[in-house]
Amino acid sequence: MRYLLPCQVRFPRFQRCTALAAILLAAAPLGAQTTPATNSGAGNLTVSPMFLDFQFEHDFSASLKSGASGNLTSNSIQVQLGEKIDWGINHFTLGISNSYMNYSFGGINPVPFSNVAKLGFMLHHDIDLNDQWKLFAQVNAGFAADTKRTLTSGFQWSVAAGATYVVSPNLTVSGGPMYYSRMEDTDTVTPYADVTWTPMAQWTFRAYAGISNGVSAAYDIFDNKATVADASVEYNSRWFRAQDTAAGLKQAVDETDTTVKIGIRQAMSPACFIRGYVSAILGREYQFHVNDHSANSFDVDSIFGIGIEIGGKF
């Protein structure tokens, strides 16, 4: 409660995110029913409870470098809603996310960009071939833009497809190609991979590659799925539409960094959890792109951040 008023002051669109969360919460009970039905031999249709996740992060002030002077402080709010549907050999995961990034520049005028809003959609589809093999396809689409631009000006998308092999009950490997668009830069193809390994009952390791690449580890402290410690290292690349240049040319920004996180998650009930974490953001760079070419860029010193995440099934 003590952070409510500062958030309203620092986030001109905080009320928008809060309203979205309220709408999603109101709609969540619609997905809480598990409905089996037979469909022309395709198998039973099962709709799992919806999953809602809310996250807030504050990154402390850091100095700009690489030809720029001043400092940058950032905050973010993100709301995600997910749903899983099983229909015989077909398994679907649907997701929608809305986020708002507040960038506060000091000692620099004019600022290189304003705050950034994002809206994203995801559909993942698995098809069981047998007990060990699956085929998958995943589509992501959404918008990301400076709040002084229209949100729809920052359209981007990606698609990945491949196969999943269940090596053992403790090891699953997925891989294939991914194609994704980059605003004001050439579209590209990159490997998509996801490996999950549970060597012991309390340990889970994961490695993944795509637009973001990283590794993570989770440890179930009391072996009861209630208190879980986690650590991760991830390389991120986030694109958004920026304001036009002084010459009227379209412009986009690629924000990249390597983030290290350490957190702990506590289950409040079988359907709800709260997680706190600290992060170190290393090598953050903002690369500006104009007419499919790289333009200027600036770096930010390494910084620390803190965050809180609340999630639940409905």
Side-chain angles (χ1 to χ4, degrees):
M1 294 300 295
R2 60 186 295 185
Y3 292 104
L4 180 58
L5 181 59
C7 282
Q8 289 177 324
V9 173
R10 302 188 68 170
F11 289 83
R13 298 193 180 183
F14 178 79
Q15 294 87 345
R16 176 184 299 179
C17 292
T18 306
L20 176 63
I23 292 171
L24 297 181
L25 280 170
L30 298 176
Q33 302 177 2
T34 301
T35 308
T38 302
N39 294 271
S40 305
N44 292 332
L45 176 65
T46 303
V47 179
S48 300
M50 285 187 177
F51 179 78
L52 180 65
D53 183 277
F54 172 86
Q55 186 170 320
F56 170 78
E57 180 174 337
H58 170 74
D59 297 332
F60 294 96
S61 177
S63 299
L64 308 182
K65 55 183 183 179
S66 297
S69 61
N71 58 75
L72 171 63
T73 305
S74 60
N75 300 274
S76 66
I77 287 180
Q78 179 172 270
V79 180
Q80 298 183 82
L81 180 67
E83 178 74 273
K84 291 185 177 181
I85 301 173
D86 298 304
W87 187 10
I89 64 172
N90 296 280
H91 311 280
F92 301 91
T93 302
L94 301 90
I96 179 173
S97 63
N98 180 264
S99 64
Y100 184 83
M101 293 289 299
N102 168 241
Y103 294 101
S104 178
F105 288 94
I108 181 172
N109 188 31
V111 297
F113 46 82
S114 184
N115 300 322
V116 174
K118 297 183 179 182
L119 178 64
F121 305 89
M122 184 273 290
L123 171 62
H124 185 95
H125 180 205
D126 287 306
I127 302 176
D128 296 332
L129 299 181
N130 52 46
D131 290 340
Q132 288 186 295
W133 285 98
K134 300 179 182 181
L135 298 179
F136 75 85
Q138 179 171 308
V139 178
N140 294 77
F143 308 92
D146 186 311
T147 53
K148 294 184 178 180
R149 294 291 308 270
T150 59
L151 183 61
T152 53
S153 67
F155 179 70
Q156 51 193 338
W157 63 277
S158 68
V159 59
T164 297
Y165 180 58
V166 181
V167 181
S168 72
N170 299 325
L171 178 61
T172 302
V173 179
S174 297
M178 168 181 275
Y179 181 95
Y180 71 95
S181 65
R182 299 185 295 180
M183 288 179 276
E184 302 306 322
D185 200 354
T186 305
D187 295 351
T188 188
V189 176
T190 188
Y192 175 93
D194 197 320
V195 179
T196 302
W197 181 38
T198 308
M200 294 172 283
Q202 292 173 259
W203 283 97
T204 300
F205 298 94
R206 182 173 174 239
Y208 49 94
I211 298 177
S212 293
N213 306 275
V215 294
S216 65
Y219 178 66
D220 188 348
I221 297 175
F222 303 110
D223 197 16
N224 59 3
K225 302 185 186 302
T227 307
V228 179
D230 63 81
S232 65
V233 180
E234 183 176 69
Y235 173 78
N236 302 290
S237 176
R238 297 173 291 263
W239 289 78
F240 61 88
R241 175 68 63 189
Q243 300 179 57
D244 292 347
T245 66
L249 300 175
K250 292 184 178 180
Q251 183 174 223
V253 176
D254 180 18
E255 177 186 23
T256 59
D257 63 53
T258 298
T259 299
V260 180
K261 287 185 179 181
I262 299 176
I264 188 163
R265 185 182 72 177
Q266 178 63 49
M268 309 305 292
S269 73
C272 180
F273 74 86
I274 184 169
R275 172 176 174 260
Y277 63 88
V278 295
S279 60
I281 301 94
L282 314 173
R284 178 177 287 187
E285 180 183 12
Y286 294 90
Q287 177 71 58
F288 292 78
H289 294 257
V290 178
N291 285 348
D292 294 336
H293 292 89
S294 297
N296 59 309
S297 66
F298 66 88
D299 299 326
V300 181
D301 281 340
S302 298
I303 55 174
F304 290 96
I306 56 174
I308 186 170
E309 180 181 4
I310 300 173
K313 296 180 180 179
F314 300 89

